[in-house]
Amino acid sequence: MTSWEQFLGGDEFGTDALRRLVDDSWRRCLSNSVDPQRDQAPPPMREDSLHSLRDDCRELLEASQPVMASAREFLAETGTVMVLTDGAGIILNLEGDTRLRDAAANIHLLSGASWSEQACGTNAIGTAIEVGQPVQIHSAEHYCSGIKRWSCSANVIRDPYDGTILGVVDVSGLSDTFNRHSLALVVATAGRIENRLAQQEMDLRLRLLDHCMDRLSGSSSDGVIVFDRRGRAVKANGAAADALLDLQRQRGEATGADLSRLRLNWRKQATLPDELPPWMRREWLEPVVTDGERLGIVLRLPGRRAAPSRTAGLDAAAKPEAGDDAFSRIVGEAPSLRHAIGRARQLAKSRAPVLLLGETGVGKDVFAQCLHAGSAGRDGAFVALNCGGFSRELLTSELFGYAEGAFTGARRGGMTGKIEAADGGTLFLDEIGEMPKDLQPHFLRVLESGEVYRIGETRPRKVNLRLVAATNRDLRREVEAGRFRMDLFYRVAVTSISIPALRERAEDIPLLAEHLMQDLARRQGPARRRLSPRAIEVLQAYAWPGNVRELRNVIEGMLLIAEGEELTEADIPDEIWTAPASDIAPSVAQAGEAEPLRGLTGMENAERLALLRAMQAHKGNMTAVARDLGIAKSTVYAKLRRFGLEGAVGETRRFQI
């Protein structure tokens, strides 16, 4: 009698010949009343249900597809198939030897079928989910009689975010195809899929932070906290902890401002959470959505100096102290910037709409806050909305608000829109060129009539606000292309202010860098440093496509890695050094000569030549040069100065492809 028959007959001694893994699994199957005579998995789910499941597992499928495809040759040679399941053991996809198709169909090894232990007894997929580690089940080790002709190896795929089991990758075949290498294959495949999932998560995180950089680096006293799509707080500005403590004190709490413990939870298809902590208001939340994909949420907490109003917490700008110049927060002395500030200071006194023009990262949001702070309506709310961060439907409700019951999922009591919230203050619409064209006439009517209708209401509400809009697009060309209404363009662009790009005011970089270092030292605690003259030259030579926002990131990175009191060219990130020729000023790109220097020994001249050749081979990438020569990066820069090759760095980068 076999061990299996002895086990089913109640003979405990018959299990001595079993592996502990199999023995434990059989006992679970017996406890769960799994039918040992079963000859196949339960029938696959319906096609529409499978489609919905695959949609829920879209990221897992996208990460696994190229990895599984790379195993086709091995699968064909070994007469096996590779199976991908979700975390419950339901098959999502198969790849492999088509000759196994009929045999696999006979046991329902098909998409949509469940291969959990509760459904099919001991098998590599279900047992791997139960134990959370690689499993190989061969032939008679299966619990159900109809599956004992098969051999399978599986490993779980874990979420790189929290370690939960997202799915299983399995290699299965008939018993005569048993191959111990199959277990190594599924372990390697699961690892590669997890790495791709981690890269996907990192890409989404970087997109989220890039989208929110303006909010995090703004000069408002409001606290800003960015949550990723899973509801975890991932980044906060310096004012966030103080704002959170203030809110706790107001509620008589003393839990401390531990931002790392903040969590928000929402359903997969929802844009905002269904439930919020008692201290949090829904109007403080702004979803970050790009191309229809939710990246996360921004929470803006009213700062200590936030102007009190009936819309407190809606991006309220700091109220300037008596005698303060509202524009003093803007750093720079370049003529082009001073001209823009002078124009803004003059326009702040009026109620006319202002259109801010400039590239991404130049500080349009800072100008908007200064226009509000310098206006007669400074006591009102400053309400900001990014038109490019929402779907059409969500942007409509965010702008106009809605009545209770206006649509499925509408909040009880309705919601105040940003237009209504800005009554008596300033409405700042960033990326106004992204506003859907069919929404533009409705917004134009608000500007012309001073009335707004909430979605689902027939009674207008009076509003009196100052509009400040911003765009990095050429709206005249958008009008010509038919993407922006001409009448709305003339309404929002009554006056305009062009904010210069950072490369157009390179003389301000030392001032800006000093200001940013002071600000970062105050917020994050690193000791104040100074920039070396050579580092300033390199930073001024770069074109800064990301403008002030990019400069802030670079300075912050330099502060984190620098060891001395002075930030030198060695601390500048490689992406600045390896910028395309179009991103390097001519004065630097043309510097550097390759001729030997007098006064150097033959060995030193040979060393200088080797350094030059390495720079040319690696197109000026100093990290790669240091690695190639087997010396420290700081030593490379010391030799550049010693051999008079500092100017040649730009020359070697000029010719990179």
Side-chain angles (χ1 to χ4, degrees):
M1 183 180 289
T2 65
S3 298
W4 179 68
E5 291 169 333
Q6 289 177 329
F7 177 81
L8 295 179
D11 184 357
E12 291 291 326
F13 298 102
T15 62
D16 290 346
L18 295 177
R19 290 188 291 146
R20 177 63 181 270
L21 173 78
V22 177
D23 184 27
D24 290 345
S25 176
W26 282 12
R27 293 180 186 276
R28 287 193 299 270
C29 295
L30 187 64
S31 175
N32 291 325
S33 301
V34 178
D35 182 3
Q37 302 303 324
R38 191 175 193 103
D39 59 0
Q40 59 184 195
M45 63 174 56
R46 291 170 46 184
E47 190 65 30
D48 56 343
S49 299
L50 177 59
H51 179 78
S52 178
L53 178 62
R54 282 175 168 164
D55 186 57
D56 289 341
C57 300
R58 175 175 53 86
E59 292 177 10
L60 175 61
L61 284 164
E62 289 176 353
S64 63
Q65 185 176 12
V67 181
M68 292 177 64
S70 66
R72 285 173 184 163
E73 186 175 346
F74 174 86
L75 299 172
E77 290 177 354
T78 57
T80 55
V81 293
M82 181 174 284
V83 179
L84 177 73
T85 80
D86 71 351
I90 299 175
I91 297 179
L92 300 171
N93 196 18
L94 292 92
E95 181 79 59
D97 195 335
T98 57
R99 293 171 295 179
L100 272 181
R101 184 176 302 165
D102 292 340
N106 288 337
I107 63 169
H108 286 166
L109 192 65
L110 303 168
S111 295
S114 173
W115 279 79
S116 66
E117 269 195 356
Q118 293 79 8
C120 299
T122 304
N123 71 93
I125 294 172
T127 305
I129 292 174
E130 292 293 332
V131 301
Q133 61 187 34
V135 168
Q136 192 165 45
I137 302 295
H138 177 55
S139 192
E141 291 180 327
H142 288 87
Y143 183 75
C144 295
S145 61
I147 311 173
K148 289 181 178 292
R149 294 177 55 232
W150 289 74
S151 177
C152 48
S153 306
N155 192 23
V156 295
I157 301 168
R158 294 190 179 274
D159 189 335
Y161 175 83
D162 57 13
T164 57
I165 295 176
L166 293 177
V168 172
V169 61
D170 164 86
V171 171
S172 291
L174 296 173
S175 297
D176 58 2
T177 66
F178 176 75
N179 188 331
R180 294 191 180 276
H181 295 303
S182 297
L183 187 61
L185 174 63
V186 295
V187 170
T189 301
R192 291 177 62 192
I193 294 172
E194 289 173 354
N195 289 338
R196 289 179 62 86
L197 287 169
Q199 186 59 54
Q200 288 177 2
E201 194 69 31
M202 184 61 68
D203 291 344
L204 289 170
R205 180 72 58 81
L206 292 174
R207 285 171 57 194
L208 171 66
L209 293 178
D210 182 64
H211 194 88
C212 298
M213 196 55 64
D214 281 342
R215 299 166 179 82
L216 290 166
S217 59
S219 55
S220 169
S221 62
D222 291 349
V224 177
I225 305 174
V226 178
F227 294 83
D228 65 14
R229 62 190 182 134
R230 300 172 185 265
R232 188 178 72 167
V234 296
K235 190 77 172 178
N237 69 354
D242 291 339
L244 189 57
L245 281 172
D246 284 348
L247 287 168
Q248 291 176 349
R249 292 191 187 103
Q250 292 170 16
R251 294 179 54 83
E253 301 172 354
T255 58
D258 187 355
L259 300 178
S260 65
R261 297 176 60 185
L262 284 180
R263 292 290 188 277
L264 295 176
N265 298 302
W266 52 79
R267 290 176 287 106
K268 183 176 180 63
Q269 301 302 325
T271 306
L272 293 175
D274 294 325
E275 296 182 6
L276 299 176
W279 55 268
M280 191 181 297
R281 297 185 185 180
R282 191 168 296 271
E283 57 262 30
W284 294 348
L285 296 171
E286 177 186 343
V288 180
V289 181
T290 61
D291 299 327
E293 183 177 21
R294 185 190 64 201
L295 300 181
I297 280 181
V298 175
L299 169 65
R300 189 178 290 272
L301 302 171
R304 292 177 175 178
R305 298 175 59 205
S309 72
R310 61 187 179 86
T311 56
L314 286 173
D315 264 344
K319 191 175 180 179
E321 302 292 337
D324 278 356
D325 178 3
F327 292 87
S328 61
R329 72 181 74 176
I330 301 176
V331 178
E333 297 296 335
S336 57
L337 181 67
R338 301 317 302 177
H339 174 75
I341 293 174
R343 184 172 174 81
R345 186 180 286 115
Q346 186 177 11
L347 292 175
K349 303 171 186 176
S350 74
R351 299 282 294 176
V354 176
L355 179 64
L356 301 175
L357 305 172
E359 298 177 4
T360 298
V362 295
K364 296 187 288 292
D365 60 327
V366 177
F367 265 80
Q369 293 177 37
C370 292
L371 283 165
H372 170 74
S375 71
R378 67 173 67 92
D379 290 331
F382 176 84
V383 182
L385 182 66
N386 189 312
C387 297
F390 298 89
S391 64
R392 184 215 178 273
E393 293 74 17
L394 192 55
L395 180 60
T396 303
S397 60
E398 287 289 321
L399 267 177
F400 298 96
Y402 54 79
E404 181 175 346
F407 49 83
T408 302
R411 212 171 67 201
R412 180 175 296 179
M415 188 186 81
T416 301
K418 294 294 194 289
I419 294 173
E420 193 178 341
D423 184 26
T426 301
L427 175 64
F428 173 48
L429 292 185
D430 199 1
E431 296 185 33
I432 193 171
E434 304 289 338
M435 182 182 289
K437 192 173 181 182
D438 61 339
L439 194 58
Q440 294 173 20
H442 301 286
F443 182 61
L444 176 62
R445 187 184 182 284
V446 172
L447 297 179
E448 293 180 340
S449 67
E451 295 178 341
V452 60
Y453 288 83
R454 289 189 182 182
I455 300 171
E457 284 188 348
T458 58
R459 180 179 59 85
R461 298 169 182 261
K462 290 289 185 181
V463 289
N464 180 22
L465 55 84
R466 171 48 167 319
L467 175 67
V468 178
T471 182
N472 58 9
R473 295 188 175 192
D474 186 337
L475 287 189
R476 291 186 182 275
R477 290 188 178 179
E478 295 296 299
V479 170
E480 293 172 0
R483 291 186 291 266
F484 202 84
R485 290 177 61 100
M486 182 180 295
D487 46 6
L488 180 59
F489 169 73
Y490 287 118
R491 193 71 181 81
V492 302
V494 174
T495 57
S496 63
I497 300 172
S498 294
I499 305 173
L502 184 56
R503 64 179 171 276
E504 297 170 2
R505 54 185 188 103
E507 64 267 37
D508 282 342
I509 286 178
L511 279 174
L512 278 166
E514 176 65 24
H515 171 78
L516 292 171
M517 285 191 289
Q518 290 181 14
D519 184 59
L520 289 166
R522 178 176 59 83
R523 293 171 182 266
Q524 301 179 8
R528 284 185 56 184
R529 313 280 178 80
R530 62 180 181 274
L531 280 171
S532 71
R534 176 59 181 155
I536 292 175
E537 290 177 10
V538 174
L539 295 179
Q540 287 180 316
Y542 181 58
W544 299 106
N547 292 291
V548 180
R549 182 190 307 159
E550 185 182 6
L551 175 63
R552 180 186 180 87
N553 288 350
V554 169
I555 294 296
E556 184 173 8
M558 293 172 68
L559 286 173
L560 291 173
I561 65 172
E563 297 180 353
E565 294 184 358
E566 186 176 64
L567 303 181
T568 70
E569 65 270 30
D571 300 313
I572 295 176
D574 286 340
E575 59 264 27
I576 303 298
W577 284 105
T578 57
S582 60
D583 284 352
I584 300 294
S587 59
V588 174
Q590 294 169 2
E593 295 294 336
E595 289 81 4
L597 290 183
R598 295 180 181 179
L600 296 182
T601 66
M603 180 65 71
E604 287 174 328
N605 267 317
E607 190 176 1
R608 181 174 182 268
L609 181 60
L611 181 58
L612 254 179
R613 287 174 175 170
M615 289 165 58
Q616 291 167 350
H618 296 290
K619 301 179 175 65
N621 185 327
M622 293 297 110
T623 299
V625 169
R627 185 167 54 246
D628 188 7
L629 297 177
I631 58 179
K633 188 175 175 181
S634 57
T635 304
V636 171
Y637 285 108
K639 290 184 179 295
L640 288 175
R641 289 190 292 271
R642 170 74 179 94
F643 298 147
L645 294 176
E646 293 172 285
V649 173
E651 185 67 23
T652 56
R653 290 173 182 152
R654 246 178 32 132
F655 300 102
Q656 64 177 313
I657 298 175

